[in-house]
């Protein structure tokens, strides 16, 4: 049996030991003194509002953090939020929630588009949501704003960029090589040896280096890793050799008779499919290594510019990903732990090191940044993470697309409760059942059935689900 933890540590150590520095990551002007750096940028400017960097990884699962060793080392004094939950675990809905502080039932970008007319970039633009985003509000408040990476699904190579961005470098395809970027309204093609994560890194570093010294900056850095097709950079192609998807009891679950019918219809994964998942796991982790280098390059650029001591950095995923758990393969948009939760790291101004075990969500990033920067975000559904805010549940909204059934529910750090239009329900006590193997409300259970001792009543869970599914603003934080 291959030891997954040992392999992760060994591969990460090998990469860290190798010389993987590039022009963007190589420290410059080592002799430059602190006074000069402070005079040039953050340390000497009158505007003392913090610089903000938000890193959004794509489909990063909890375990994928192990493939970010340099980031974890560089931001070692950051604050971890292990119970960071995605209200709707799908790319576009989740990214809109992060940028606006709104739950999906309030911003109404329910899907990624494509097979739905209720999602993606088109729906976002039609609703005028670009005028409610962090970047728009920050730009109006005097920040220099920049995007480097993925924006929203469905954004095309049109010569247009949303309002609120001073620098706009948007990926328009999911390819890692031979790709297109929209650079300030102009479509630019990259071929040959160009690797998307590296190119986006260089644009992000350039944005920092060229920013006016007297202005605070907001950077949204969104590399493609580890989203499929998960093509690693050439320098990382031999890392994580032999890695396997974790084989806990939820993987290729033997008995799913207590799950909703949509899960029961899923066949057991074949040995060939399992081997394919292992291959994909290796490549996903390999793509993360380039993202790891890129994040550190951004941090180093802030340091060289004299900005780092007055910067807040957030590193998060847009959603999780199912890699065979409960037979769900290459999927998200379902309520299970691997889909709806992945730790978030916040570092820098405002954050002390340690672990914050509160139940938090992707809607909390925007109000936290608003509090740090002094902008007004009165209608946010989330709360400022620097406050004493707490919540009992995060509402869950499943997209109801071809891969996942429609459903609403609630999630705490200990409980998961879901209701589906079919009448089916799921209820898991994650204190005793962290792998979500035993549904306490399988088909045939009575709605008025009394919960096991020590658990809330089914009626109260259902009522709370309905309440949070239509909450807004401060009503979501009570």
């Amino acid at each position: 049996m291959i030891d997954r933890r040992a392999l992760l540590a060994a591969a990460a150590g090998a990469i860290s030991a190798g010389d993987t520095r590039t022009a963007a990551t190589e420290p410059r002007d080592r002799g430059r003194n602190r006074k000069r750096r402070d005079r040039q940028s953050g340390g000497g400017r009158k505007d003392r509002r913090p610089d903000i960097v938000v890193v959004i990884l794509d489909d990063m699962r909890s375990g994928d953090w192990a493939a970010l060793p340099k980031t974890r080392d560089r931001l070692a004094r950051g604050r971890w939020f292990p119970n960071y939950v995605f209200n709707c675990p799908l790319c576009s809905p989740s990214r809109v929630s992060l940028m606006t502080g709104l739950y999906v039932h309030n911003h109404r970008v329910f899907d990624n588009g494509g097979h739905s007319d209720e999602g993606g970039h088109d729906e976002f633009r039609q609703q005028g949501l670009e005028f409610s985003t962090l970047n728009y509000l920050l730009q109006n408040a005097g920040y220099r704003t920049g995007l480097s990476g993925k924006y929203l699904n469905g954004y095309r190579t049109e010569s247009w960029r949303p309002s609120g961005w001073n620098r706009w470098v948007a990926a328009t395809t999911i390819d890692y090589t031979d790709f297109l970027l929209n650079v300030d309204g102009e479509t630019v093609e990259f071929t040959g040896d160009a690797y998307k994560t590296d190119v986006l890194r260089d644009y992000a570093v350039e944005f920092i280096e060229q920013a006016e010294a007297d202005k605070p900056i907001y950077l949204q850095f969104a590399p493609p890793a580890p989203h499929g097709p998960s093509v690693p950079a050439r320098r990382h192609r031999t890392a994580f050799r032999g890695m396997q998807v974790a084989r806990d009891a939820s993987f290729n679950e033997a008995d799913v008779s207590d799950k909703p019918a949509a899960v029961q219809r899923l066949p057991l994964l074949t040995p060939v499919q399992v081997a394919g998942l292992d291959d994909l796991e290796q490549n996903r982790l390999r793509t993360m290594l380039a993202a790891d280098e890129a994040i550190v390059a951004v941090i180093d650029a802030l340091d060289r510019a004299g900005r780092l001591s007055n910067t807040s950095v957030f590193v998060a995923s847009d959603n999780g990903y199912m890699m065979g758990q409960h037979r769900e393969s290459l999927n998200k948009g379902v309520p299970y732990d691997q889909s709806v939760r992945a730790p978030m790291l916040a570092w820098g101004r405002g954050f002390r090191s340690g672990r914050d075990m509160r139940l938090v969500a992707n809607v909390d990033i925007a109000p936290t940044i608003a509090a740090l920067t002094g902008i007004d975000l009165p209608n946010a559904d989330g709360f400022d993470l620097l406050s004493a805010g707490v919540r009992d549940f995060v509402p869950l909204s499943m997209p109801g697309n071809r891969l996942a059934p429609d459903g609403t529910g609630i999630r705490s750090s200990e409980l998961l409760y879901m209701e589906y239009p079919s009448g089916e329900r799921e209820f898991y006590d994650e204190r005793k059942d962290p792998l979500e193997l035993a549904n306490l409300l399988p088909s045939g259970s009575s709605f008025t059935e009394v919960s096991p001792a020590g658990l809330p009543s089914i009626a109260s869970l259902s009522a709370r689900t309905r309440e949070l599914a239509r909450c807004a603003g401060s009503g979501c934080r009570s």
Side-chain angles (χ1 to χ4, degrees):
M1 176 65 70
I2 295 175
D3 188 327
R4 175 182 172 83
R5 290 185 179 178
L7 263 175
L8 278 167
I15 294 300
S16 296
D19 186 6
T20 58
R21 292 175 297 178
T22 67
T25 59
E26 184 71 41
R28 304 172 195 175
D29 300 328
R30 293 178 183 272
R32 182 184 299 170
N33 61 55
R34 172 63 64 180
K35 288 183 180 179
R36 181 182 175 194
R37 288 164 63 182
D38 286 349
R39 185 169 63 251
Q40 285 184 336
S41 189
R45 70 169 189 246
K46 294 180 180 179
D47 189 337
R48 293 299 298 158
R49 291 177 298 174
D51 297 312
I52 304 292
V53 175
V54 177
V55 180
I56 310 175
L57 284 304
D58 202 342
D59 289 0
M60 183 179 74
R61 306 169 73 235
S62 294
D64 296 341
W65 267 102
L68 296 174
K70 296 181 178 183
T71 299
R72 289 184 289 113
D73 180 66
R74 195 72 169 85
L75 305 181
R77 297 185 64 80
R79 192 153 189 84
W80 287 95
F81 293 85
N83 293 312
Y84 180 77
V85 174
F86 312 107
N87 161 238
C88 181
L90 202 61
C91 298
S92 288
S94 185
R95 288 169 187 259
V96 175
S97 288
L98 189 150
M99 292 191 293
T100 63
L102 299 176
Y103 284 130
V104 66
H105 65 265
N106 287 324
H107 66 62
R108 304 193 68 77
V109 178
F110 291 107
D111 208 339
N112 285 336
H115 50 266
S116 166
D117 61 357
E118 295 183 324
H121 171 261
D122 290 347
E123 183 68 20
F124 174 85
R125 188 179 182 188
Q126 288 167 12
Q127 295 193 54
L129 286 167
E130 64 187 281
F131 305 111
S132 302
T133 57
L134 276 171
N135 60 281
Y136 181 82
L137 298 171
L138 287 169
Q139 187 191 57
N140 284 349
Y143 271 72
R144 179 171 174 81
T145 60
L147 170 82
S148 184
K150 180 175 179 177
Y151 188 52
L152 296 172
N153 298 63
Y155 179 77
R156 293 174 288 278
T157 54
E158 55 196 12
S159 295
W160 173 87
R161 65 179 180 181
S163 300
W165 296 104
N166 296 105
R167 184 58 161 158
W168 176 252
V169 182
T172 59
T173 63
I174 62 172
D175 306 292
Y176 285 75
T177 59
D178 299 327
F179 55 93
L180 301 174
L181 295 178
N182 184 305
V183 181
D184 291 332
E186 178 184 355
T187 299
V188 181
E189 183 177 12
F190 294 84
T191 58
D193 292 333
Y195 186 68
K196 183 184 284 183
T197 300
D198 295 347
V199 171
L200 294 173
R201 171 203 65 201
D202 292 343
Y203 275 115
V205 168
E206 179 188 67
F207 169 77
I208 295 168
E209 293 175 339
Q210 295 182 354
E212 299 96 324
D214 60 346
K215 268 195 171 187
I217 60 174
Y218 171 80
L219 172 64
Q220 191 165 304
F221 180 56
H227 193 290
S230 306
V231 177
R234 182 176 289 108
R235 62 188 179 275
H236 298 141
R237 288 178 184 172
T238 61
F240 301 112
R241 204 171 263 168
M243 183 61 61
Q244 293 181 338
V245 178
R247 303 293 204 268
D248 59 37
S250 71
F251 180 77
N252 208 13
E253 188 177 353
D255 182 5
V256 292
S257 59
D258 61 333
K259 297 285 192 293
V263 178
Q264 294 182 41
R265 288 192 292 267
L266 297 172
L268 283 165
L269 300 171
T270 68
V272 171
Q273 289 173 314
V274 170
L277 285 174
D278 289 337
D279 288 342
L280 178 60
E281 177 79 339
Q282 294 169 29
N283 282 327
R284 281 171 53 86
L285 294 171
R286 289 163 181 156
T287 67
M288 293 289 290
L289 294 174
D292 190 32
E293 294 168 357
I295 296 168
V296 172
V298 167
I299 300 301
D300 287 345
L302 290 163
D303 197 16
R304 290 194 301 272
R307 292 179 176 269
L308 190 58
S309 63
N310 191 32
T311 296
S312 298
V313 180
F314 300 82
V315 184
S317 182
D318 56 358
N319 48 255
Y321 202 60
M322 304 295 289
M323 293 280 287
Q325 295 77 28
H326 315 299
R327 306 186 191 179
E328 294 272 7
S329 179
L330 312 183
N331 190 17
K332 48 201 171 185
V334 292
Y336 306 119
D337 188 70
Q338 297 84 357
S339 175
V340 302
R341 184 179 66 90
M344 186 269 289
L345 176 63
W347 176 95
R349 180 166 163 177
F351 295 98
R352 66 183 187 276
S353 62
R355 291 163 66 87
D356 189 324
M357 301 305 295
R358 287 179 297 173
L359 181 67
V360 300
N362 49 358
V363 295
D364 298 331
I365 297 289
T368 303
I369 293 174
L372 284 165
T373 59
I375 63 172
D376 192 22
L377 199 69
N379 297 319
D381 297 331
F383 61 74
D384 169 16
L385 294 173
L386 300 176
S387 73
V390 293
R391 56 166 60 87
D392 57 351
F393 290 101
V394 171
L396 297 182
S397 179
M398 298 304 112
N401 60 29
R402 60 188 174 86
L403 296 176
D406 185 21
T408 56
I410 49 178
R411 165 73 189 251
S412 74
S413 57
E414 300 178 339
L415 304 174
L416 167 62
Y417 175 79
M418 287 295 301
E419 296 180 352
Y420 301 96
S422 62
E424 297 170 300
R425 287 167 293 151
E426 292 185 272
F427 183 24
Y428 300 95
D429 181 355
E430 304 208 2
R431 296 167 299 181
K432 300 178 180 178
D433 182 22
L435 298 179
E436 300 162 338
L437 300 175
N439 180 10
L440 299 176
L441 289 174
S443 182
S445 300
S446 168
F447 182 79
T448 58
E449 181 179 342
V450 177
S451 293
L455 294 176
S457 70
I458 306 304
S460 67
L461 291 170
S462 184
R464 190 65 172 138
T465 295
R466 292 193 301 274
E467 180 182 17
L468 287 177
R470 58 176 181 265
C471 73
S474 60
C476 299
R477 304 192 292 270
S478 59

